[in-house]
Amino acid sequence: MNRPLALGTPAEFHADRLVDVLIPTRNRPAELAVTLAGLAAQGGVPGFGVVVSDQSDGDPAYAHPAAATMVRALRHAGHPVLLTRRLPRRGLAEHRAYLLAASSARYVLNLDDDVWLEPGALHRLVTAIEELGCGFVGNGVHGLSYTGDVRPETHRHYEEWVGRPVPERVRPGTPEWDRARIHSAANLLHVTAELALPPGAWRAYKVSWIGGCVLYDRAKLVDSGGFDFWRRVHEKHQGEDVAAQLAVLARHGGAGILPSGAYHLESPTTVTERDVEAWEVVLADEDTPQPA
């Protein structure tokens, strides 16, 4: 019989750790269990914390026995886990802002609840951001059902950074914006295979934005506004991660990292009401000339 699961408290969780993983979830107990299992298998980053914030319509996903077992496995391995509910729902950006406020770690990994990380992925991301010194690094997620669907026309969007990433102002309609095409399907797997990297090697490449698995320097994310724009967008939105990353790119730079250890579970989305692109609202505000 699965015994009651301790939720933890914000006061107990708040600490000056190197890394916290921030996971928003809704109506996905099976996917959350897989995501947590991936984290439980990570090595090389001792003591990282995990915050799960649930907005399910019924019981929280972390109450499912499979997810609860992975929470216990993480805690048993020395990883603090805070389990919370954030209701009523006020949109994706507000949920991200809430999770960010729950952490005081140097780096925060925004990890979606339908992404499995292969062993070593977190350590590689932390190594990369410490070496590059930019605002964020990320792993574009692989869709393994597309492994046989090779799209060479997208590979031209792969461009490596030479040296440390520098700030960039990326906007729709520019060649830089089209970099996101490299993250569709299994394109990154095919690009990585072509690179034939030796074991342990990684490469940083130029991005417009990355979905699903992004490690931020928390101070630089906050300096760029974080997700505080949630008050300016309708709650039925998507693209909140794009808005935040464009702001960080402009101030501190960012990069994708190959090889990617992030795999999309390819489950149906739980974000079915997508009336607004948050990044469009934010960019319109930023790019509107201010009166003299």
Side-chain angles (χ1 to χ4, degrees):
M1 186 67 169
N2 191 30
R3 294 185 173 183
L5 182 64
L7 303 182
T9 68
E12 292 172 341
F13 182 82
H14 243 274
D16 294 329
R17 282 181 292 273
L18 181 64
V19 180
D20 281 340
V21 182
L22 313 180
I23 307 173
T25 189
R26 176 174 180 250
N27 297 341
R28 278 180 163 171
E31 291 86 346
L32 179 63
V34 173
T35 299
L36 293 174
L39 289 176
Q42 297 301 308
V45 187
F48 65 82
V50 179
V51 186
V52 179
S53 179
D54 186 276
Q55 294 186 324
S56 295
D57 298 328
D59 292 336
Y62 52 69
H64 188 280
T69 295
M70 290 300 98
V71 169
R72 293 185 172 102
L74 282 159
R75 288 171 172 167
H76 181 68
H79 302 290
V81 180
L82 174 64
L83 305 173
T84 70
R85 301 207 76 181
R86 186 61 172 175
L87 296 170
R89 295 165 54 211
R90 299 182 179 89
L92 300 172
E94 192 278 340
H95 205 185
R96 299 279 194 194
Y98 168 75
L99 282 160
L100 182 59
S103 171
S104 57
R106 180 176 180 184
Y107 303 116
V108 290
L109 177 67
N110 276 14
L111 185 65
D112 286 357
D113 64 350
D114 58 353
V115 176
W116 177 77
L117 292 185
E118 69 182 15
L122 181 58
H123 179 254
R124 184 162 55 243
L125 286 171
V126 172
T127 300
I129 199 169
E130 290 188 323
E131 182 172 323
L132 297 174
C134 53
F136 71 83
V137 298
N139 276 174
V141 297
H142 306 305
L144 286 179
S145 69
Y146 294 85
T147 302
D149 182 3
V150 181
R151 305 178 182 184
E153 72 278 6
T154 69
H155 297 184
R156 63 186 177 85
H157 297 292
Y158 176 77
E159 182 182 358
E160 291 184 3
W161 280 108
V162 178
R164 296 175 59 172
V166 299
E168 296 183 284
R169 186 179 184 272
V170 177
R171 291 294 185 269
T174 66
E176 291 79 12
W177 186 259
D178 290 337
R179 295 169 182 168
R181 294 184 61 195
I182 199 69
H183 294 141
S184 299
N187 295 333
L188 283 182
L189 277 181
H190 302 140
V191 169
T192 304
E194 292 174 358
L195 292 176
L197 298 175
W202 55 270
R203 296 290 184 270
Y205 64 95
K206 298 179 180 181
V207 297
S208 54
W209 59 278
I210 304 173
C213 178
V214 180
L215 182 69
Y216 295 93
D217 182 306
R218 191 178 64 85
K220 292 175 181 175
L221 174 58
V222 171
D223 174 66
S224 304
F227 296 91
D228 290 347
F229 57 82
W230 71 266
R231 297 177 178 85
R232 292 147 48 199
V233 298
H234 193 284
E235 67 181 38
K236 296 178 180 179
H237 65 260
Q238 64 177 358
E240 82 294 342
D241 48 353
V242 181
Q245 288 173 45
L246 292 177
V248 176
L249 276 176
R251 285 176 175 258
H252 303 287
I257 301 299
L258 285 185
S260 170
Y263 295 81
H264 192 231
L265 301 184
E266 301 186 56
S267 295
T269 182
T270 58
V271 183
T272 56
E273 298 176 312
R274 302 166 176 243
D275 298 348
V276 175
E277 288 283 359
W279 60 266
E280 290 183 342
V281 176
V282 173
L283 290 189
D285 291 345
E286 291 179 354
D287 295 344
T288 299
Q290 299 299 312

